[in-house]
Amino acid sequence: MLTITQALADQIVAHARQDHPDEACGVIAGPAGSDRPERFIPMLNAAMSPTFYEFDSGDLLKLYREMDDRDEEPVVIYHSHTATEAYPSRTDISYANEPGAHYVLVSTADTDGLGDFQFRSYRIVEGEVTEEEVKVVQAY
């Protein structure tokens, strides 16, 4: 289960809205071993595409060095889908290389008749996708 603050969930959705119609992407870092997302880090979608996201390799290297220096790890890796439901694509699954991370997808398309902004979380380990419950809290 992903436990995340309302403030962080709101920041992810705001980033998805801001970058629409392109996919938004980013990371929420947390203390190593804590499974607690704390530091919101929006990233640039280097692909600048409505159907694909890609972290800039230089930005990603800088981020991982910074997290290492702060004894953090990527707790949440998020991105948006602009025309499809919030479910990992084959490409998303192939790029998922953090088995301990929660992969959050936000859809900016109304694909289920329930309105915009589906907010869903998955674990992706060795190509296996498992949806997990999301618990939104005011504070940890």
Side-chain angles (χ1 to χ4, degrees), residues 39-62:
R39 189 165 64 95
F40 179 73
I41 308 155
M43 303 284 283
L44 173 69
N45 178 355
M48 299 179 86
S49 166
T51 59
F52 178 74
Y53 84 98
E54 182 176 37
F55 292 122
D56 176 84
S57 59
D59 289 349
L60 198 57
L61 179 61
K62 180 181 169 193

Side-chain angles (χ1 to χ4, degrees), residues 52 79 81 87-96 105 124 127 129:
F52 178 74
H79 76 281
H81 282 181
Y87 189 85
S89 69
R90 285 191 303 270
T91 303
D92 297 339
I93 295 165
S94 71
Y95 282 170
L105 277 90
I124 305 174
V129 177

Side-chain angles (χ1 to χ4, degrees), residues 1-123:
M1 175 173 64
L2 169 63
T3 302
I4 188 168
T5 63
Q6 184 69 59
L8 288 170
D10 290 348
Q11 286 180 289
I12 291 171
V13 170
H15 187 199
R17 280 188 174 126
Q18 175 187 330
D19 283 12
H20 188 83
D22 289 339
E23 290 192 4
C25 58
V27 172
I28 303 178
S34 72
D35 197 40
R36 190 176 65 235
E38 291 185 351
R39 189 165 64 95
F40 179 73
I41 308 155
M43 303 284 283
L44 173 69
N45 178 355
M48 299 179 86
S49 166
T51 59
F52 178 74
Y53 84 98
E54 182 176 37
F55 292 122
D56 176 84
S57 59
D59 289 349
L60 198 57
L61 179 61
K62 180 181 169 193
L63 171 62
Y64 271 81
R65 285 182 175 157
E66 185 179 285
M67 286 189 299
D68 192 48
D69 290 346
R70 296 170 63 124
D71 197 28
E72 293 176 328
E73 63 189 5
V75 177
V76 170
I77 298 171
Y78 74 87
H79 76 281
S80 61
H81 282 181
T82 61
T84 59
E85 71 174 315
Y87 189 85
S89 69
R90 285 191 303 270
T91 303
D92 297 339
I93 295 165
S94 71
Y95 282 170
N97 60 1
E98 288 288 345
H102 302 271
Y103 286 87
V104 168
L105 277 90
V106 172
S107 175
T108 56
D110 181 3
T111 57
D112 59 7
L114 300 176
D116 293 350
F117 301 103
Q118 292 176 357
F119 189 103
R120 297 166 72 183
S121 184
Y122 304 89
R123 293 293 190 150

